[in-house]
Amino acid sequence: MAAIAGPEETTGPRPGDDSDVPAPRLTVIGTGYLGATHAICMADLGFDVLGVDVDESKIKRLNEGEVPFFEPGLPELLAKAMDSGRLRFTTSFEEAAEFGDVHFICVGTPQQEGSDAADLRYVDSAVTALAQHLCRRTLVVGKSTVPVGTAARLTELVQRLAPAGDQVELAWNPEFLREGYAVDDTLRPDRLVFGVSSAWAEERLRAAFAPIVATGTPVVVTDLTTAELVKVAANSFLATKISYINAMAEVCEATGGDVRGLAEALAYDDRIGGRFLKPGLGFGGGCLPKDIRAFAHRAEELGVGQAVAFLREVDAINKRRRSRTVDLVRELAGVTGGDLTGVRVAALGAAFKPNSDDIRDAPALDVASALHRLGAHVTVVDPQATENARRVHPELDYGTDAISAAIDADVVVLLTEWAQFQEIDPEIMGSVVAHRRIVDGRDALDAARWRAVGWEYRALGRP
Ligand code: NAD
């Protein structure tokens, strides 16, 4: 094991900056959607970066210049970063500890099986594996979304295990990137949040983000606890806004109102704003659903469950949109009971949102598999997520494009608002289906255009 060295960084001038202060060498531990993006973008900004994962096949693909998931713009940046010689990937934590001055923890924090709590085993195991090799003054920076209190616990863990002891500091730097826009969000974030325990940690983080800070990006410096809370508070707010308009959709359904007009009228009020106020099938993915559940769970553990009890309702409203979409398909198919045997459904979309191949907690797949369970013959089509969907739902049929998936369909249901689905010509699709019936689960189509050529059109919260 290497001897404990001094605090100085090991590489040349800081990227994006003329100062003589050397740039920190970075490691990024966990190379999934967040970590791979972070590693590639930081190398693009000029840092020397080592990506680390326990998944050998993922590391092999990344080292061969292949991004193991769909993210627009990322493959090009990976190629550029590999050519520059500033980026490589490994499975060795020993190598990572020797290489890095600042280590970003980007591993998954999924929902625990059988509980709403976050599963922290990957974070604990990554931090444990790294800490054992940390022999000099270093900063370990959590980026994963974690329950409040995790950073304090990990500080104790890392300092107990590291040969460098309390020379190793922990910081939290929550990540707000959106899949589909991950490159831009990483290179040009709205803000950076630095949760730190010392001026040294803040200075290290400022060095690690120097090119981004230099563009005038706001930096909020705070304590570890607040930094952890910022992320779950932000996701809770976004989820609440989506469920709020979907709750209004439920009221519209009961009263004959039109939630699209209602949302439009609300959006003109600057205090409310139109973003995330779009009615439809609701949120899914690897973040929002598990983050609001973990937040509610953690608040209950801390005795402040009441403060965020509304998140349980936000979750319930969101889930009800999925079953309501199934009901709309049933209504259009003219089926009164539960049984959809013999009904052919073309399901447009599998990913949890457009521009992503991520199917974690995807509303689209939830609806498709519910229809299948009711007896329907479901053909799913998605521009990027088919392979991921097939792995989890082999019982469904998969098409290659929307028109061929719709051949002989009794009902078409739009579940993910990919641009190519919004551009479908209703006349062309109408010429292949058995019945011109469409459920617009994302309120993304021009109802008048579809109705004009004889389609029965239904959408959530609309007459
Ligand atoms: P992911 O499942 O795509 O990636 C996690 C990666 O961690 C995988 O490659 C896995 O092999 C690796 N891993 C697991 N255990 C490891 C270990 N012990 N050592 C090294 N690597 C290990 O997950 P993700 O979507 O990238 O999310 C990661 C974290 O970032 C989560 O906490 C998530 O909530 C948060 N986050 C995600 C996004 C997003 O858009 N995906 C945005 C903001 C925050």
Side-chain angles (χ1 to χ4, degrees), residues 32-34 53 58 106-107 109 125 145 175 179 290 360:
Y33 285 95
L34 163 60
D53 207 289
K58 198 172 270 186
C106 298
V107 300
T109 50
S125 131
T145 304
E175 176 59 55
E179 286 173 27
K290 60 106 175 154
R360 290 176 287 184

Side-chain angles (χ1 to χ4, degrees), residues 137 139 169-170 195-204 221-222:
R137 195 162 189 204
L139 188 66
E169 264 193 54
L170 207 95
V196 292
S197 312
S198 73
W200 177 80
E202 179 187 341
E203 186 252 320
R204 295 297 71 207
V221 181
T222 183

Side-chain angles (χ1 to χ4, degrees), residues 350-351 357 359 365 378-382 384-401:
D357 65 352
I359 55 148
L365 272 182
V378 184
T379 305
V380 177
V381 62
D382 190 283
Q384 292 295 337
T386 305
E387 288 320 309
N388 286 342
R390 200 195 302 274
R391 222 171 300 132
V392 181
H393 288 287
E395 76 281 10
L396 301 171
D397 269 1
Y398 293 90
T400 50
D401 66 282

Side-chain angles (χ1 to χ4, degrees), residues 176-192:
F176 305 96
L177 68 79
R178 298 160 299 165
E179 286 173 27
Y181 306 91
V183 170
D184 206 46
D185 286 350
T186 304
L187 295 175
R188 283 170 285 278
D190 297 334
R191 76 297 210 188
L192 291 165

Side-chain angles (χ1 to χ4, degrees), residues 69-82:
F69 51 88
F70 175 75
E71 182 60 45
L74 203 55
E76 295 81 351
L77 273 198
L78 173 59
K80 211 171 120 202
M82 299 299 276

Side-chain angles (χ1 to χ4, degrees), residues 111-315:
Q111 187 175 335
Q112 257 179 45
E113 195 100 15
S115 161
D116 282 343
D119 187 345
L120 295 176
R121 84 178 93 161
Y122 308 104
V123 171
D124 287 4
S125 131
V127 167
T128 301
L130 176 70
Q132 292 163 17
H133 302 289
L134 293 175
C135 300
R136 60 188 156 95
R137 195 162 189 204
T138 336
L139 188 66
V140 176
V141 183
K143 272 188 106 53
S144 302
T145 304
V146 291
V148 59
T150 303
R153 184 176 63 75
L154 292 177
T155 300
E156 189 280 319
L157 178 74
V158 88
Q159 293 185 345
R160 179 161 45 81
L161 296 178
D166 60 11
Q167 294 246 313
V168 180
E169 264 193 54
L170 207 95
W172 218 265
N173 164 232
E175 176 59 55
F176 305 96
L177 68 79
R178 298 160 299 165
E179 286 173 27
Y181 306 91
V183 170
D184 206 46
D185 286 350
T186 304
L187 295 175
R188 283 170 285 278
D190 297 334
R191 76 297 210 188
L192 291 165
V193 177
F194 295 164
V196 292
S197 312
S198 73
W200 177 80
E202 179 187 341
E203 186 252 320
R204 295 297 71 207
L205 272 170
R206 285 189 183 276
F209 286 98
I212 297 175
V213 175
T215 63
T217 305
V219 179
V220 179
V221 181
T222 183
D223 53 81
L224 294 173
T225 302
T226 309
E228 290 169 319
L229 283 171
V230 166
K231 175 64 191 176
V232 286
N235 275 358
S236 297
F237 190 87
L238 296 173
T240 302
K241 207 167 169 193
I242 296 169
S243 277
Y244 176 80
I245 198 62
N246 283 335
M248 296 306 108
E250 287 190 17
V251 176
C252 285
E253 277 154 20
T255 54
D258 184 343
V259 73
R260 185 185 277 196
L262 188 145
E264 189 190 344
L266 292 183
Y268 282 117
D269 187 329
D270 281 346
R271 296 168 303 175
I272 298 174
R275 297 188 69 190
F276 276 65
L277 206 68
K278 225 176 144 342
L281 187 44
F283 57 84
C287 290
L288 253 53
K290 60 106 175 154
D291 287 350
I292 63 167
R293 287 171 204 148
F295 190 18
H297 180 93
R298 183 68 181 137
E300 284 155 15
E301 277 179 353
L302 294 168
V304 287
Q306 249 186 342
V308 293
F310 67 93
L311 291 177
R312 299 289 186 198
E313 199 49 50
V314 165
D315 197 14

